[in-house]
Amino acid sequence: MTFDKNQKDFPSEAHKTIWNAAIHILPIEATLPPEVKSMMPPYMAESCEQLQKFFLHILSDLYENPNAYEPFPHGQRLGIQSKFLMPFAEFGAIGEAGENFMTINCNLFEKLLFKQIKSKAYHKDRKTGISVEQRIAQLERTGLKINYDGNNAVLTNTLHPKIFYAMRGLALASVKEKSGGDNSFTYCDFRKLCKKYKYDKFENALAFLSDEEKNIAALLDGTAKKIGLARSVHSGQCPGYGADYSYKNLLIMDINALSGSLAVSVRFLYDKNNLSLIYNILEK
């Protein structure tokens, strides 16, 4: 299915949570433009395309067939990225990728599964006796297979067979980020694989907004530039990107794209002994 950023009505809160995770996957034309493709081997570009399709396949199936992923708590924060997408970052960080498979040492794999079941994302699964292995088995609906060969767990995917080079590369690139690495992985930001590629990160803040909110954010950004505010873009630990606007190192405004909505706040920091500063900013 195709997820629409402008969608407003949902069958349930659970569906809205899944939709929110899906619209936070960057469009392939933005994250894998021709300039980025030209900087990587053809097999890596193909792998990136398949990994994004795999993630969208997972979320589409969750949205359309939630009963296949029981227990599936209705109307609660589900930790969709943490439970269904981020494990692949963990696999990619410790696995060895081949053209159509990934191998992970069994001891490391078992330790990773134990770590995941103890995490916050699996809190409700622990209470209901659902294991990480059972959650992974549910993803067989999207082609994922895990078999054991001697001392290794072997991951394959019958529907998206060439995802593993990108999974490995993006996982390692995300680990190296000072902040927001989890976002880079779950958003499929393949530009992270090409260090020499430069782009305006404000594009990420706009990518997840509805058309109406995107126009508002762009208008605010343009106005901020005209009055001389400096802009810095950041990616937080929660889903979304934001932009901070400052004047002479004082934070004046911030724009955040969080949970599929636009949040704007304006503030004034000033020296109580120099009130003229705040008046100057207001006048400007």
Side-chain angles (χ1 to χ4, degrees):
M1 65 175 292
T2 300
F3 290 96
D4 182 2
K5 293 187 301 180
N6 299 303
Q7 183 174 342
K8 295 182 179 180
D9 299 320
F10 302 90
S12 70
E13 285 299 312
H15 285 86
K16 184 176 181 179
T17 303
I18 299 164
W19 166 85
N20 184 57
I23 65 167
H24 277 81
I25 293 179
L26 289 162
I28 197 68
E29 62 271 16
T31 188
L32 199 65
E35 298 92 331
V36 171
K37 278 188 174 182
S38 68
M39 296 180 185
M40 59 177 59
Y43 69 82
M44 180 59 83
E46 182 180 16
S47 184
C48 290
E49 291 173 348
Q50 289 203 11
L51 183 62
Q52 194 227 35
K53 288 180 181 178
F54 174 50
F55 282 178
L56 287 173
H57 189 172
I58 292 173
L59 297 173
S60 295
D61 198 48
L62 279 165
Y63 192 97
E64 296 179 327
N65 304 289
N67 292 336
Y69 295 86
E70 294 289 354
F72 203 85
H74 175 80
Q76 300 182 30
R77 294 180 66 85
L78 307 179
I80 296 299
Q81 285 102 333
S82 299
K83 189 174 292 184
F84 292 101
L85 302 186
M86 276 308 297
F88 295 105
E90 302 271 8
F91 297 157
I94 63 174
E96 294 296 329
E99 182 179 4
N100 55 9
F101 67 90
M102 175 172 282
T103 59
I104 304 174
N105 177 271
C106 283
N107 290 332
L108 293 177
F109 190 64
E110 293 298 327
K111 288 180 180 178
L112 179 56
L113 296 184
F114 181 79
K115 172 186 172 185
Q116 288 179 346
I117 198 61
K118 294 295 183 182
S119 68
K120 186 176 180 180
Y122 285 90
H123 171 69
K124 293 189 180 296
D125 281 1
R126 290 198 304 272
K127 293 178 68 175
T128 53
I130 301 298
S131 68
V132 177
E133 290 93 331
Q134 286 172 284
R135 285 299 185 198
I136 293 173
Q138 290 173 337
L139 294 179
E140 288 185 4
R141 296 172 54 85
T142 59
L144 184 70
K145 301 282 186 181
I146 298 181
N147 296 302
Y148 291 88
D149 182 13
N151 294 324
N152 291 318
V154 182
L155 282 66
T156 58
N157 193 303
T158 57
L159 300 178
H160 311 278
K162 298 184 178 182
I163 60 176
F164 300 104
Y165 284 131
M167 187 186 298
R168 170 73 170 167
L170 191 57
L172 294 179
S174 300
V175 167
K176 294 178 183 179
E177 287 192 66
K178 294 181 180 179
S179 64
D182 289 357
N183 286 347
S184 293
F185 188 86
T186 60
Y187 297 172
C188 291
D189 194 349
F190 301 119
R191 293 168 297 190
K192 300 294 183 181
L193 299 176
C194 302
K195 294 181 179 179
K196 294 182 180 180
Y197 182 71
K198 304 299 181 182
Y199 60 98
D200 184 357
K201 293 182 179 179
F202 189 62
E203 295 173 8
N204 286 356
L206 299 178
F208 315 124
L209 298 173
S210 68
D211 293 340
E212 181 182 7
E213 291 168 333
K214 185 175 181 179
N215 291 336
I216 294 171
L219 178 62
L220 289 171
D221 180 69
T223 302
K225 287 181 179 178
K226 287 181 181 179
I227 65 175
L229 298 185
R231 185 187 72 189
S232 62
V233 178
H234 59 82
S235 172
Q237 292 306 309
C238 54
Y241 280 82
D244 294 336
Y245 298 87
S246 58
Y247 177 76
K248 295 185 177 179
N249 296 322
L250 297 177
L251 182 61
I252 302 300
M253 178 178 72
D254 61 71
I255 296 175
N256 288 285
L258 299 173
S259 301
S261 61
L262 175 67
V264 180
S265 61
V266 179
R267 60 178 65 86
F268 296 103
L269 301 176
Y270 63 95
D271 183 349
K272 65 180 180 180
N273 296 317
N274 184 14
L275 295 180
S276 63
L277 175 60
I278 190 69
Y279 297 139
N280 290 339
I281 295 174
L282 285 170
E283 182 181 357
K284 193 173 183 66

